[in-house]
Amino acid sequence: MCLAALSLGACRRPAVEPRGELRGAWLREPELRQGFELREGGGLALLGCPERSGLAWNLTHGELVLSTNDARRVESQVARLRVAVLEPGRLELEGKDEPFAGMYRPARVSHVRGVVTYRERLALGPDTRVIVELTRPGAGAVALQAFLARAQVPLDFDLSVPAEVTAELELSARIADRERTLFATAEPVRVTPGAEPLELVLRPAP
């Protein structure tokens, strides 16, 4: 119990981090082409940044921590940003030389979800990585997810795109160790954002 003489300071409850207000998709102003989706449970997806993959996010003491990687380097790289403004319809992040700094507004996203697997009886090693890429035919990369295979197949993937992207896209995937590709899609698979999850059956790489 706090003493009356200390009631002005010592009895204050710790501030609650606004994780719920942050969750969801955000696009950076004014272009509204790049951003991220802060998922329930701490997962992170990047929007409009097809050269990088989102891994995880966290909020601590007013600092938003984003962990990302890329197809070549699966180990995480961390961006730390101060939440300068968080209001309905507005998020401002500050950070010196941080590419994610800027003003954001809420966005809607669609998902391309499924699993990657293969038929061969081969166990994956601890350094095996999974790379799933989403492209627009004739226009280039749209989204990337790259992660270490910490379990055996089937392995889940979940890529996010802005909800305005409704055209058919192409999905490809590969499983590789540090030296070579082990399995890969024989050819890209046509997908529509928001459709039912699908199973990508990979074939042994030549």
Side-chain angles (χ1 to χ4, degrees):
M1 179 181 296
C2 295
L3 298 176
L6 302 178
S7 61
L8 292 179
C11 292
R12 290 180 181 173
R13 294 181 178 179
V16 177
E17 298 281 8
R19 292 182 60 90
E21 290 85 347
L22 271 174
R23 278 197 300 267
W26 300 87
L27 286 174
R28 183 163 48 199
E29 295 181 317
E31 295 87 357
L32 301 179
R33 294 178 181 173
Q34 294 184 329
F36 44 77
E37 181 189 14
L38 306 178
R39 295 174 174 170
E40 185 93 25
L44 171 68
L46 300 184
L47 303 171
C49 305
E51 72 284 354
R52 298 202 61 75
S53 167
L55 293 174
W57 71 279
N58 195 15
L59 180 69
T60 177
H61 303 298
E63 183 180 68
L64 179 62
V65 182
L66 304 179
S67 298
T68 66
N69 64 1
D70 57 44
R72 295 182 179 179
R73 182 180 176 185
V74 181
E75 294 81 4
S76 64
Q77 302 172 40
V78 175
R80 300 182 181 276
L81 303 122
R82 188 177 73 87
V83 180
V85 176
L86 178 58
E87 299 173 348
R90 185 180 178 214
L91 169 66
E92 183 178 357
L93 300 175
E94 295 180 344
K96 184 178 180 181
D97 300 324
E98 289 289 2
F100 292 103
M103 190 76 70
Y104 292 80
R105 70 168 62 173
R108 296 181 303 110
V109 296
S110 296
H111 294 262
V112 176
R113 295 185 172 110
V115 298
V116 294
T117 190
Y118 52 82
R119 303 304 186 206
E120 287 69 21
R121 300 173 67 86
L122 176 68
L124 298 177
D127 292 331
T128 308
R129 61 189 189 277
V130 181
I131 300 98
V132 185
E133 298 173 286
L134 201 58
T135 60
R136 184 182 287 111
V142 174
L144 169 72
Q145 187 174 13
F147 56 93
L148 288 173
R150 301 193 182 280
Q152 302 301 314
V153 295
L155 297 165
D156 296 327
F157 65 86
D158 184 352
L159 298 106
S160 299
V161 297
E164 294 75 18
V165 178
T166 57
E168 266 198 344
L169 303 173
E170 292 186 338
L171 185 69
S172 60
R174 65 186 188 273
I175 297 175
D177 60 20
R178 293 188 177 273
E179 298 179 356
R180 68 194 189 284
T181 297
L182 304 174
F183 299 92
T185 43
E187 58 185 27
V189 177
R190 290 292 180 102
V191 296
T192 301
E196 291 296 314
L198 69 158
E199 181 184 57
L200 283 181
V201 180
L202 310 187
R203 297 182 181 180

